[in-house]
RNA sequence: GGGCGAGUGGCGGAACGGCAGACGCGCCGGCCUUAGGAGCCGGUGUCGCAAGACGUGCGAGUUCGAAUCUCGCCUCGCCCACCA
């Protein structure tokens, strides 16, 4: 063995470790060599790896690094494994912040946005991420949004884009209509600024995503995180039940149609409730009730969603004077209007079954309406407290005519059938999901390519007139109307039917329309003749692996799926889903555990860190702090550890070789052990990169580097095993720390580039140890360890275990009750007990 | 209110039902140094001089064996929220 001083004498000095000496140089070289350019004609198997593009807010922060480094590591490994990887990047550059900057500071949104893009593009390069910048997509570029508009026209022609008057969520601060998905929380606030929204009636453009509700529920063959699939499923909110028509006591008035998931409780329907917005409300209101009903409806309309939902769930409503007939009991039941019934769900009207629905029950008790029990638990009587809410299985009908005694699960079908036979009902499905509202009364978005002719109404802009360009000379006063509405030049259009003067649509599209297809544009980003080249899309799509934040679970990720399905049905695409596999990264929070934002002042700027430690250290540190899908509050303590690790790698990869101090046999055993460490590390790291477990992968690289350092100290630094270990370490490290890996690879005289080398091969034969250390338990508690050769027979292991004095102490000379062996794992001796 | 997820050292976190705390930070001791805020070596769950005992939010259960599985509770986070 060498002495410590020997080791130190050799390990001291050597080339200085300073990432500033080489990081930028390599990035320039990679860029110049087009190392990450994906070629459509490359015969190797394609692999489309995509990470969500950012909004160009101004500067790259540590969260961008975190989000990008994970997939970059996978992309780099896949390239080395021989795949033809496409890993593009772009900018989601339409949207509100640019316009707000224009209002606040008088900078034109395009100038502000483009300056940000330029800055962020440069900052992205310092991350060392291997993006193919030749495929960059910028959605606010007319060369892109021209095709966003073209897609709108395709949807319009297919009947999937339509215009409708709608009460919409309106953010009074941002002065903009919001999609339902963009209104959050119990107080119904704007997802961007947090201001509570109000309702406004406006003529709006919608995409018919509801046509695809059922198909969007199908995740067959998709490798997506369970929580995301669940959120989309809940958002779509499919319910099966029945629709039932209740005749009303009024001449020539259509019946009230209701949707219910529990048609088996129809015998218990003792009143009906219409939403205030329901069209039959004015029809069925009697004259003596009219004043009160109109006041109630007007109040409900005036109230914001917040007030309507909060108010401590106090249920309010008004009797409208008319009655309906329960089709089963033939009883007259009163019709009420109440705002707890929502206009947008089901039919906007319900049959109220107060005995078995909590909300109806509350309402009935408030207004002293009759409560009739028609279901009881299969075992036992109704509970005394009269609060039995029917739920699912294991219930039996009571007081329900011919259906009495029938299990509820059976009665659902039987009663639905009878209603169908009577011609007043039948099975029905209802969804929570609504059509996607895409109109925005803002400037900085893709103009909707529609015009309005006084003669011929809404007309699509002819495709050869695209793009409808955003005018540059606009006034950005913060008003409720889009600045486009006051731009005379923009408004002027010519009707394609009659050639007369038409008025251009001034709404722009939701930015989620831009991002619903950007992954297609990456396949042929510079094709100015069409949205995408069908061959290129056929080659690259679908995306093999998509990464991004879980916050897009029901927004972007559902819209993109909808787009692909709709375009498939129009004949433009020939696959069903855009993203085969999905992984979500966690969020890096500020040190105060809050979401990073400029206003909170908790944004971590990576520049200070990179100038001090270099990009590799920052990348590796971010990937090391915990599971990638978990994120967490920013805490830079510990970055020194990563830097020290890279310093050690620097050193062991190029320090003077050390050989000869060990005895021959000892040296051979040391080499075997080092090769074992090398090959177990190759296997483990390969597996863990693929599973996005970067933190444990890096810990294993640290272990290997420690093993290499010890091997050097032990005097085998000039052996082939040592060289193999260092080469493997650099190759395995290359995805996470591309610069230092390249630099050391070059310094070791290897061929440029390390990033084009084959991924190290794992030899299982070298990874197995010939001796094992078996834990010996007594009654499940660790008491001793056995060191045995791998081929020791079980009987021998048992004999050795029982012979152990630590085991004997617990056996007290008695024979064991059992001895359990998990081959290669452990021995457990079970004592006879008392 | 409903759904989903998570609770492990001083800290970030490891651990196919099988050695709890890998790896790293921090801390303690040492070496080397004119010096060390560099580097290297060793130690570090708690209690205990030790042998050992106890330890994964709390309480039960299944099992030869539970951080891991089951049930109940507590706390935190995220999503949804009058959806008939």
């Amino acid at each position: 063995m060498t002495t410590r001083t020997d080791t130190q004498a050799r390990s001291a000095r050597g080339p200085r470790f300073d990432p500033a000496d080489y990081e930028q140089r390599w990035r320039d070289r990679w860029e110049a060599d087009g190392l990450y350019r994906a070629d459509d004609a490359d015969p190797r198997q394609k692999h489309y790896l995509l990470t969500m593009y950012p909004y160009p807010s101004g500067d790259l922060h540590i969260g961008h690094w975190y989000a990008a480094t994970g997939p970059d590591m996978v992309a780099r490994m896949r390239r080395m494994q021989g795949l033809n990887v496409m890993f593009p990047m772009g900018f989601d550059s339409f949207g509100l912040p640019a316009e707000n900057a224009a209002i606040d500071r008088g900078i034109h949104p395009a100038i502000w946005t483009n300056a940000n893009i330029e800055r962020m593009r440069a900052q992205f390069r310092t991350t060392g991420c291997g993006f193919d910048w030749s495929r960059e997509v910028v959605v606010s570029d007319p060369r892109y949004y021209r095709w966003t508009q073209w897609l709108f026209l395709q949807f319009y022609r297919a009947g999937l884009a339509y215009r409708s008057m709608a009460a919409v969520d309106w953010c009074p601060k941002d002065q903009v209509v919001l999609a339902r998905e963009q209104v959050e929380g119990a107080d119904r606030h704007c997802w961007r600024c947090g201001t509570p929204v109000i309702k406004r009636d406006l003529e709006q453009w919608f995409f018919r995503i509801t046509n695809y509700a059922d198909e969007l529920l199908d995740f067959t063959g998709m490798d997506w995180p369970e929580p995301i699939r669940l959120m989309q499923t809940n958002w779509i909110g499919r319910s099966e039940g029945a629709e039932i028509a209740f005749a009303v006591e009024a001449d020539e008035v259509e019946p009230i149609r209701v949707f219910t998931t529990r048609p088996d409780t129809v015998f218990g329907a003792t009143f009906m409730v219409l939403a205030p917005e329901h069209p039959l409300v004015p029809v069925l209101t009697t004259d003596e009730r009219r004043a009160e009903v109109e006041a109630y409806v007007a109040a409900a309309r005036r109230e914001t969603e917040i007030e309507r939902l909060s108010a401590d769930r106090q249920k309010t409503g008004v009797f409208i004077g008319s009655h309906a007939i329960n089709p089963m009991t033939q009883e007259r039941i009163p019709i009420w209007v109440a705002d707890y019934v929502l206009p947008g769900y089901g039919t906007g009207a319900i049959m109220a079954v107060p005995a078995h629905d909590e909300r109806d029950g509350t309402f009935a008790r408030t207004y002293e309406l009759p409560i009739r029990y028609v279901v009881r638990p299969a075992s036992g009587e109704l509970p005394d407290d009269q609060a039995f809410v029917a739920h699912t299985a294991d219930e039996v009908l009571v007081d329900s005519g011919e259906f009495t005694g029938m299990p509820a699960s059976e009665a659902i079908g039987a009663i639905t059938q009878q209603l169908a036979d009577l011609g007043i009902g039948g099975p029905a499905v209802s969804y929570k999901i609504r059509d996607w509202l895409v109109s925005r009364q803002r400037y900085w978005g893709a103009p909707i390519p529609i015009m309005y002719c006084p003669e011929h109404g809404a007309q699509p802009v002819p495709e050869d007139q695209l793009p409808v360009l955003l005018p540059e000379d606009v006034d950005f006063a913060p008003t409720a109307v889009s600045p486009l509405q006051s731009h005379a030049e923009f408004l002027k259009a010519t009707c394609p039917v009659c050639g007369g003067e038409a008025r251009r649509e001034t709404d722009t599209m939701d930015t989620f329309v831009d991002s619903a297809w950007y992954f297609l544009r990456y396949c042929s980003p510079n094709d100015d003749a069409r949205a995408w080249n069908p061959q290129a899309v056929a080659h690259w799509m679908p995306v093999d692996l998509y990464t991004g934040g879980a916050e897009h679970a029901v927004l972007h990720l559902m819209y993109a799926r909808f787009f692909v399905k709709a375009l498939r049905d129009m004949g433009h695409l020939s696959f069903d889903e855009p993203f085969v596999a999905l992984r979500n990264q966690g969020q890096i929070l500020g040190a105060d555990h809050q979401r990073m934002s400029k206003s909170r002042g908790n944004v971590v700027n990576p520049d200070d860190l990179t100038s001090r430690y270099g990009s590799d250290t920052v990348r590796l540190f971010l990937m090391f702090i915990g599971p990638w899908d978990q994120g967490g509050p920013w805490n830079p303590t510990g970055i020194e550890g990563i830097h020290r690790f890279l310093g050690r790698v620097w050193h062991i990869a190029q320090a003077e070789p050390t050989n000869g101090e060990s005895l021959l046999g000892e040296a051979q055993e040391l080499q075997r052990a080092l090769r074992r460490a090398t090959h177990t590390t190759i296997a483990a790291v390969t597996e863990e990169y693929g599973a996005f477990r970067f933190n444990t992968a890096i810990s294993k690289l640290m272990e290997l580097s420690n093993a290499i350092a010890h091997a050097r100290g032990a005097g085998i630094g000039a052996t082939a095993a040592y060289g193999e270990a260092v080469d493997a370490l650099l190759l395995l490290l290359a995805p996470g720390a591309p610069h230092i890996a390249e630099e050391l690879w070059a310094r070791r005289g290897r061929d440029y580039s390390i990033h084009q080398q084959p991924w190290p091969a794992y030899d299982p034969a070298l990874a197995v140890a010939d001796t094992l250390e078996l834990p010996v338990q007594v009654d499940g508690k660790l008491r001793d360890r056995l060191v045995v050769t791998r081929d020791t027979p079980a009987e021998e292991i048992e004999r050795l275990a029982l012979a152990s004095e630590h085991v004997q102490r617990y056996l007290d000379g008695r024979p064991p009750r059992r001895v359990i062996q998990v081959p290669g794992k452990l021995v457990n001796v079970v004592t006879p007990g008392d």
Side-chain angles (χ1 to χ4, degrees), chain A residues 706-754:
Chain A
N706 290 340
I708 293 172
H710 284 117
R712 237 185 67 74
I716 57 163
T719 60
Y722 188 89
E724 177 194 45
V726 171
D727 283 346
L729 177 65
L730 293 181
L731 290 163
L732 295 173
L733 187 63
H739 310 85
I740 192 175
E742 187 80 282
E743 175 72 13
L744 290 173
W745 193 252
R747 282 173 182 253
R748 286 170 67 74
R750 303 287 194 269
D751 289 342
Y752 174 85
S753 159
I754 191 170

Side-chain angles (χ1 to χ4, degrees), chain A residues 10 23 34 44 126 159 192 229 236 326 367 385 391 499 542 586 602 699 706 744 756 791 822:
Chain A
R10 288 195 161 78
E23 286 197 344
R44 295 173 302 168
T126 70
R192 252 186 213 290
R229 286 184 293 178
I236 294 164
N326 182 317
Y367 294 101
D385 60 1
H391 282 301
N602 60 355
S699 80
N706 290 340
L744 290 173
Q756 293 171 313
D791 51 8
V822 183

